């Protein structure tokens, strides 16, 4: 087998006439700086982009103020880059482009079309079935109430997929929906060019979403009325209630996959507890590490709750606090020692801590990754390698949509990126939700279902293929909320040595009587799992 050799990719970009969205100018600049990629030509169409109508301007004034990547800018042709403009001279675009020796044409016009005489690879970005530069791209999923929005990098000629990503639709703003998706689309273009330069193949090895036909355009009045109703409803919910995460405990010899059997522990009204991770205590029982956020402070710290063998528990004690937000206190054992990788994406790092004494003595060992905004880093050993899975987002995109994998010989690294990153690009399955575990001979990865909202449910994903170049998984089981009245979300699962923990979200009234700052530290359950301390009291 002959391995493909690295190549220098010459890129041409076909632009609309006149000004372009700011994200287009940024993408062109980004591509110029990619190793192995040269911007060889810019082509300018005779047709300019349509201006925003009144409904879009209102949306922008409310939800897209400031330096928006959707605002129009002038893109000058960089020095040394050849330029063709429609109506200037008599030569056809394809004939002219054939002489530029380009390998890829990125067509960012309102109506992308194959260019005879152009390069073999002609790509375009489609957002919910419309060209991504279209001011109404991404509008249809919002107006029609679709829970998800897909952006695709595809071949102009036949729609063949090169890359795609699915995220939750922003129900109250079309412009926000566009911004989030386009941020991912820009990453797709950069990754495809880099893969082509390095491997000779631009696509990722995985299943693709089906192509989406171009949807009809809703009128400005329909869009405005729909978004106004959604905004009023959303504001009313936020005014009257507050999201609060709590913890659920289930005792038993094996892992519990039915949260209806668990006991609920609701925190005091001024805070939430989430991302529970279990580890056995030396003298019996367990420590449950959690993220705690006190609402008035707005920053996560790590706490540990002692759970006794009979299910009784003690108020959480402080474990770790940093100047930046901490969450997802992932704990694991290696070399007969206990380690923690807390989420520290706000510090653009993935940090490893060594336990010097449970529960609150942790010493920093190393930075596993730096210069990266990764959330929910999850480590495990598999077939002679260590693997690190976590969500990494493009600037401006949701953090829930794209799972990246890294591998190393030991948890200390060095960590190498998976060849197919992001290995999952679907908000219904991407974001980690707790430790990977083996159940009935299957390797299962808890994942968050972040459609239609963050942390709606759990999906246990069966990992079927995991190598440095391949990744495949399928859904084994889904765990939905609603097993008790008022439970709207569940987004973490962790098990160790007889204790399974979940977290759950309720929307508590802002006008309900304030519970005591310290709940009564006891939460046992009967066989039916009916008892809880959701009012801060033992039943």
């Amino acid at each position: 087998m002959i391995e493909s050799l690295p190549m220098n990719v010459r890129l041409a970009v076909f632009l609309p006439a006149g000004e372009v969205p700011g994200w287009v100018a940024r993408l062109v600049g980004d591509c110029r700086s990619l190793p192995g990629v040269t911007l060889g030509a810019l082509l300018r169409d005779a047709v300019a982009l349509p201006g925003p109508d009144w409904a879009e301007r209102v949306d922008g004034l409310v939800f897209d103020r400031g330096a928006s990547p959707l605002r129009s800018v002038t893109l000058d042709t960089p020095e040394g880059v050849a330029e063709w403009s429609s109506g200037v001279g008599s030569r056809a675009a394809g004939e002219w482009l054939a002489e530029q020796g380009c390998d890829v044409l990125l067509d960012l016009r309102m109506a992308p079309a194959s260019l005879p005489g152009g390069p073999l690879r002609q790509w375009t970005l489609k957002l919910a079935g419309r060209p991504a530069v279209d001011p109404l791209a991404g509008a249809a999923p919002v107006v029609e109430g679709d829970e998800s929005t897909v952006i695709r990098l595809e071949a102009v000629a036949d729609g063949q997929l090169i890359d795609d990503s699915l995220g939750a639709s922003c129900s109250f703003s079309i412009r926000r929906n566009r911004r989030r998706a386009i941020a991912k689309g820009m990453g797709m273009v950069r990754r495809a060019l880099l893969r082509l330069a390095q491997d000779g193949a631009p696509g990722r090895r995985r299943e693709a979403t089906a192509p989406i036909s171009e949807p009809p355009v809703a009128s400005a009045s329909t869009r405005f009325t729909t978004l106004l109703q959604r905004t009023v409803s959303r504001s009313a919910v936020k005014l009257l209630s507050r999201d609060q995460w709590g913890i659920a405990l289930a005792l038993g010899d094996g892992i519990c996959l039915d949260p209806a059997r668990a006991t609920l522990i609701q925190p005091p009204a001024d805070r939430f507890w989430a991302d529970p991770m279990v580890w056995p205590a030396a003298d019996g029982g367990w420590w449950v590490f959690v993220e705690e956020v006190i609402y008035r402070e707005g920053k996560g710290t790590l706490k540990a709750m002692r759970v006794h063998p009979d299910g009784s528990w003690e108020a959480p004690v402080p474990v770790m606090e940093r100047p930046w937000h901490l969450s997802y206190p992932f704990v694991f054992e290696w070399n007969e020692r206990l380690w923690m990788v807390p989420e520290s994406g706000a510090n653009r790092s993935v940090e490893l801590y060594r336990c010097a004494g449970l529960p609150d003595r942790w010493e920093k060992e190393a930075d596993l990754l730096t210069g990266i905004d990764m959330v929910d880093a999850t480590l495990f050993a598999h077939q002679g390698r260590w693997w690190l899975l976590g969500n990494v987002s493009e600037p401006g995109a949701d953090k829930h949509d794209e799972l990246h994998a890294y591998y190393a010989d030991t948890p200390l690294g060095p960590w190498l990126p998976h060849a197919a990153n992001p290995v999952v690009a679907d908000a219904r399955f991407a974001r980690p939700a707790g430790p990977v575990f083996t159940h009935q001979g299957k390797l299962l990865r808890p994942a968050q279902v972040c459609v239609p909202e963050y942390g709606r449910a759990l999906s246990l994903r069966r990992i079927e293929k995991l190598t440095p170049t391949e990744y495949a998984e399928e859904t084994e089981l889904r765990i939905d909320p609603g097993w008790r009245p008022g439970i709207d979300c569940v987004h973490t699962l962790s098990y160790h040595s007889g204790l399974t923990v979940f977290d759950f979200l309720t929307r508590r009234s802002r006008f309900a009587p304030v519970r005591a700052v310290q709940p009564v530290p006891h939460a046992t359950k009967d066989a039916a799992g009916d008892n809880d301390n959701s009012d801060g009291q033992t039943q």
Side-chain angles (χ1 to χ4, degrees):
M1 179 177 178
I2 299 176
E3 295 185 358
S4 57
L5 298 175
M7 62 183 290
N8 180 55
V9 175
R10 283 183 60 83
L11 171 69
V13 183
F14 211 150
L15 301 171
E19 293 186 328
V20 298
W23 67 266
V24 172
R26 178 183 163 191
L27 177 59
V28 170
D30 289 349
C31 292
R32 291 187 68 204
S33 65
L34 294 175
V37 178
T38 300
L39 179 63
L42 287 183
L43 299 88
R44 300 184 187 270
D45 197 20
V47 180
L49 296 177
D53 60 23
W54 65 268
E56 186 184 356
R57 288 195 295 270
V58 171
D59 190 2
L61 287 172
V62 178
F63 293 113
D64 194 21
R65 292 171 289 186
S68 168
L70 302 183
R71 299 190 189 281
S72 296
V73 299
T74 299
L75 176 57
D76 296 324
T77 301
E79 185 177 352
V81 176
E83 180 178 15
W84 178 92
S85 295
S86 178
V88 178
S90 59
R91 302 186 68 188
E95 179 186 353
W96 176 87
L97 188 57
E99 298 177 357
Q100 308 308 313
C102 291
D103 305 290
V104 176
L105 172 63
L106 179 62
D107 195 335
L108 297 178
R109 296 176 290 169
M110 277 289 292
S114 293
L115 200 62
L120 179 63
R121 300 177 181 89
Q122 299 185 29
W123 305 341
T124 190
L125 276 173
K126 288 288 189 72
L127 172 52
R130 303 185 74 87
V133 294
D134 188 333
L136 293 179
V142 178
V143 175
E144 295 171 7
D146 291 344
E147 292 183 345
S148 61
T149 297
V150 175
I151 187 163
R152 292 169 51 96
L153 178 64
E154 60 184 44
V156 172
D158 57 7
Q160 181 179 354
L161 181 79
I162 299 162
D163 205 347
D164 67 347
S165 186
L166 181 150
S169 298
C170 179
S171 64
F172 57 87
S173 171
I174 294 169
R175 287 181 69 95
R176 281 198 184 181
N177 204 45
R178 287 181 63 205
R179 287 185 59 171
R180 294 173 180 177
I182 286 171
K184 295 187 293 181
M186 295 169 65
M188 291 177 193
V189 173
R190 293 190 295 264
R191 289 194 300 265
L193 290 170
L194 284 172
R195 287 196 175 102
L196 184 61
Q198 295 167 1
D199 305 324
R204 294 191 289 131
R205 301 177 180 91
R206 57 178 189 79
E207 291 187 9
T209 58
I212 302 171
S213 58
E214 186 166 316
V217 178
S219 67
S221 58
T222 298
R223 284 180 276 125
F224 175 77
T225 301
T226 301
L227 297 186
L228 178 62
Q229 292 172 342
R230 303 252 184 87
T231 300
V232 170
S233 175
R234 174 174 176 266
S235 298
V237 170
K238 293 179 70 175
L239 177 66
L240 298 175
S241 64
R242 169 178 278 165
D243 289 358
Q244 186 179 47
W245 290 94
I247 307 300
L249 310 177
L251 301 177
D253 292 336
I255 189 169
C256 172
L257 301 179
D258 178 11
R261 294 170 44 199
T263 296
L264 307 186
I265 300 177
Q266 195 82 40
D270 66 339
R271 67 196 65 193
F272 70 71
W273 297 331
D275 297 348
M277 302 288 172
V278 185
W279 199 259
D283 53 352
W286 307 266
W287 288 106
V288 178
F289 297 90
V290 298
E291 168 201 5
E292 179 180 87
V293 174
I294 298 175
Y295 295 121
R296 69 174 181 272
E297 298 175 1
K299 180 171 71 72
T301 63
L302 303 185
K303 297 285 185 76
M305 174 189 299
R306 181 65 184 269
V307 178
H308 297 286
D310 64 354
S312 61
W313 55 279
E314 301 175 14
V317 297
V319 169
M320 189 181 298
E321 183 172 1
R322 294 292 181 267
W324 50 87
H325 177 86
L326 296 176
S327 59
Y328 201 79
F330 183 82
V331 289
F332 67 100
E333 189 174 28
W334 172 62
N335 275 359
E336 300 182 348
R337 303 200 69 166
L338 182 61
W339 307 81
M340 178 188 289
V341 179
E343 181 193 307
S344 54
N347 194 44
R348 296 189 60 78
S349 62
V350 178
E351 301 174 348
L352 177 68
Y353 290 82
R354 180 180 66 255
C355 183
L358 280 173
D360 58 350
R361 293 174 54 205
W362 297 88
E363 299 174 354
K364 185 174 177 180
E365 180 75 15
D367 287 323
L368 303 185
L369 297 169
T370 58
I372 186 171
D373 185 1
M374 175 181 283
V375 297
D376 301 347
T378 302
L379 283 73
F380 63 101
H382 179 64
Q383 295 183 345
R385 291 187 178 93
W386 276 85
W387 294 91
L388 188 159
L389 304 178
N391 269 37
V392 180
S393 56
E394 298 287 340
D398 269 348
K399 296 181 182 296
H400 319 317
D401 298 0
E402 297 185 342
L403 178 72
H404 288 236
Y406 295 79
Y407 60 95
D409 292 333
T410 77
L412 295 177
W415 291 93
L416 301 175
H418 195 283
N421 276 340
V423 293
V424 179
D426 190 323
R428 296 170 299 181
F429 317 117
R431 188 163 177 168
V436 174
F437 62 96
T438 300
H439 181 63
Q440 297 178 349
K442 302 169 184 176
L443 187 64
L444 300 181
R445 181 182 73 87
Q448 298 184 40
V449 178
C450 290
V451 173
E453 63 179 328
Y454 167 63
R456 167 58 67 90
L458 289 170
S459 179
L460 299 185
R461 302 283 285 175
R462 183 179 64 256
I463 298 177
E464 298 187 334
K465 187 175 294 184
L466 180 57
T467 73
T469 59
E470 295 178 294
Y471 185 90
E473 64 177 29
E474 296 291 339
T475 297
E476 177 76 11
L477 177 69
R478 176 170 164 139
I479 300 174
D480 285 296
W483 68 86
R484 295 282 298 273
I487 293 179
D488 291 325
C489 298
V490 51
H491 84 346
T492 309
L493 166 65
S494 176
Y495 168 81
H496 208 298
S497 304
L499 178 65
T500 303
V501 293
F502 303 87
D503 57 8
F504 64 92
L505 180 138
T506 57
R507 293 188 163 97
R508 316 277 304 192
S509 170
R510 291 180 182 269
F511 305 102
V514 177
R515 297 187 305 276
V517 173
Q518 295 293 340
V520 176
H522 192 269
T524 57
K525 69 179 182 67
D526 60 20
D530 289 333
N531 287 347
D532 65 37
N533 79 324
S534 57
D535 294 316
Q537 299 176 356
T538 301
Q539 294 183 342

